[in-house]
Amino acid sequence: MRHPQREPAARRHHVTVLAFDGAAGFEVAVATEVFGQPIPQLGDDWYALDVAAPGGGPLRAVPGYAILAGAGLEAARRADTLVVTGSPAVAAGAEPPAAVLDAVHDAAARGARLVAMCTGAFVLARAGLLDGLPATTHWRFAAELAARFPRVDVQQDVLYVDAGPVLTSAGGAAGLDLCLHVVRQDFGAATANAVARGLVLGPHRHGGFAQRAEAPVARPGDDRVAETMQWALAHLDRPLTVSELAGHACMSPRTFLRRFRAAAGTSPSEWLLEQRVQASLPLLERSDLPVETVGLRVGFPTPASFRKHFRRTVGRSPLQHRRSVARAATF
DNA sequence: TAGATGTTCCGCCATT
DNA sequence: CTAATGGCGGAACATC
């Protein structure tokens, strides 16, 4: 399942989201949004998802509502990937339910992949499954995690850590990044991007996909692509061709194209267009430069091409955008 | 608006 | 044997 771009999985990849009383509802929601939404283009070659809780049925969630788990913990026995959610209580020192720890142990023994978001790391740590491994959690709890589980190599200030079979993420939205990272591993960057788009997750992840995050899993060569993306961002104003970028990455254009798509999920030219449009936004919003000049600054040689691509991604013309933002700013 | 010209990018395949 | 590479052709696309 590591690099399934090769061929479709023979059977569906089973994801079980494990939750218990006092669950952090947001974590459960993030996992079910990413893994539980069908992708029409993929049909059955996609995840099958369960939400499992001890005994099944309703459980109190933290923001003041209930979650109705569709399955009991026995569902976790089928899981290829077990998403372990936590609760504020376990972060504060409460013992996770024994049945939950059992399910986690069982999954680990079977070689299932364990994905913990935020306080879920405390559950894995309590199960002893993070010993000797790098892991992370919400910054508010990182010191607590390190103090209580000294054998865990707690990473501060990262969005998520991929330590092979055990993955952990920081709090809140970082869980989304981790889940998308998992999708990317299983189905490739293009599919992960499609899921992100479906969630209307902004493309404005500074520096592009491969840049953000430590991604310890990055394959050799991804850094050269990432560096080249970084370099391209700093030189958007000049015309950038694929062969130029490839040269910068010390690869043939053909290989660069392949690597780029694997890392970013899109083609260099499409990515460049997106970056150029993104770069034009602050100039339109916070300067009085003529539209043509803004276009030139971000690498659109003619106003026509600037307008066209701007409209395609933003949905309105550069001038319309400037005006609507200016109006918003007066309020 | 139509058309000439250049670019991109992907399948194919021999090579490493 | 597998995996990655990079050259080639050509369709699709962008540009002026």
Side-chain angles (χ1 to χ4, degrees):
Chain A
M1 257 305 153
R2 273 298 109 103
H3 297 113
Q5 284 117 313
R6 277 196 297 256
E7 70 184 53
R11 71 194 173 87
R12 301 188 70 174
H13 186 100
H14 210 104
V15 175
T16 297
V17 181
L18 193 55
F20 50 89
D21 214 37
F26 184 71
E27 300 171 29
V28 178
V30 163
T32 54
E33 282 291 325
V34 174
F35 300 118
Q37 302 288 340
I39 307 249
Q41 296 85 350
L42 292 178
D44 271 353
D45 185 22
W46 185 240
Y47 304 101
L49 180 123
D50 274 321
V51 177
L59 50 128
R60 264 184 313 114
V62 111
Y65 57 88
I67 292 174
L68 189 60
L73 291 188
E74 66 280 355
R77 297 184 183 284
R78 296 195 303 274
D80 302 297
T81 294
L82 192 63
V83 178
V84 181
T85 67
S87 74
V90 295
E95 187 74 0
V100 167
L101 291 176
D102 284 347
V104 170
H105 273 130
D106 174 69
R110 284 192 347 259
R113 179 171 53 191
L114 298 172
V115 176
M117 285 183 269
C118 195
T119 54
F122 283 84
V123 178
L124 292 185
R126 181 62 188 81
L129 295 169
L130 294 181
D131 289 352
L133 293 177
T136 193
T137 187
H138 193 292
W139 53 267
R140 198 178 287 143
F141 306 128
E144 173 71 14
L145 184 68
R148 192 146 21 114
F149 303 99
R151 305 182 63 175
V152 179
D153 177 14
V154 177
Q155 309 277 305
Q156 308 263 0
D157 295 329
V158 295
L159 288 178
Y160 58 84
V161 175
D162 181 343
V166 183
L167 302 87
T168 50
S169 81
L176 260 178
D177 290 298
L178 176 57
C179 290
L180 289 168
H181 169 77
V182 167
V183 173
R184 174 147 64 151
Q185 276 194 329
D186 291 346
F187 292 90
T191 301
N193 286 355
V195 173
R197 223 176 297 126
L199 294 170
V200 198
L201 196 57
H204 203 61
R205 297 267 168 195
H206 211 71
F209 307 93
Q211 281 303 308
R212 138 197 75 159
E214 40 338 76
V217 78
R219 299 197 301 266
D222 279 9
D223 331 352
R224 277 189 287 161
V225 173
E227 269 172 45
T228 304
M229 291 166 97
Q230 196 63 44
W231 176 83
L233 284 176
H235 300 92
L236 283 181
D237 55 317
R238 75 175 67 152
L240 297 167
T241 64
V242 169
S243 55
E244 191 179 359
L245 294 174
H248 196 271
C250 304
M251 292 176 209
S252 72
R254 186 68 186 85
T255 297
F256 182 73
L257 231 51
R258 262 196 289 253
R259 295 277 201 91
F260 191 97
R261 184 164 280 285
T266 135
S267 69
S269 70
E270 266 186 76
W271 179 84
L272 266 179
L273 282 176
E274 177 70 32
Q275 301 309 312
R276 292 204 221 258
V277 170
Q278 293 297 331
S280 76
L281 291 175
L283 293 176
L284 288 170
E285 293 163 11
R286 293 198 266 283
S287 82
D288 292 330
L289 296 170
V291 167
E292 179 167 358
T293 310
V294 171
L296 285 171
R297 288 246 182 132
V298 298
F300 291 106
T302 67
S305 63
F306 180 36
R307 272 185 261 272
K308 175 180 166 192
H309 292 113
F310 189 94
R311 209 181 188 100
R312 204 167 65 106
T313 64
V314 180
R316 50 191 168 192
S317 75
L319 209 57
Q320 283 171 330
H321 179 78
R322 167 174 276 169
R323 275 204 273 265
S324 69
V325 170
R327 179 164 351 156
T330 35
F331 284 111

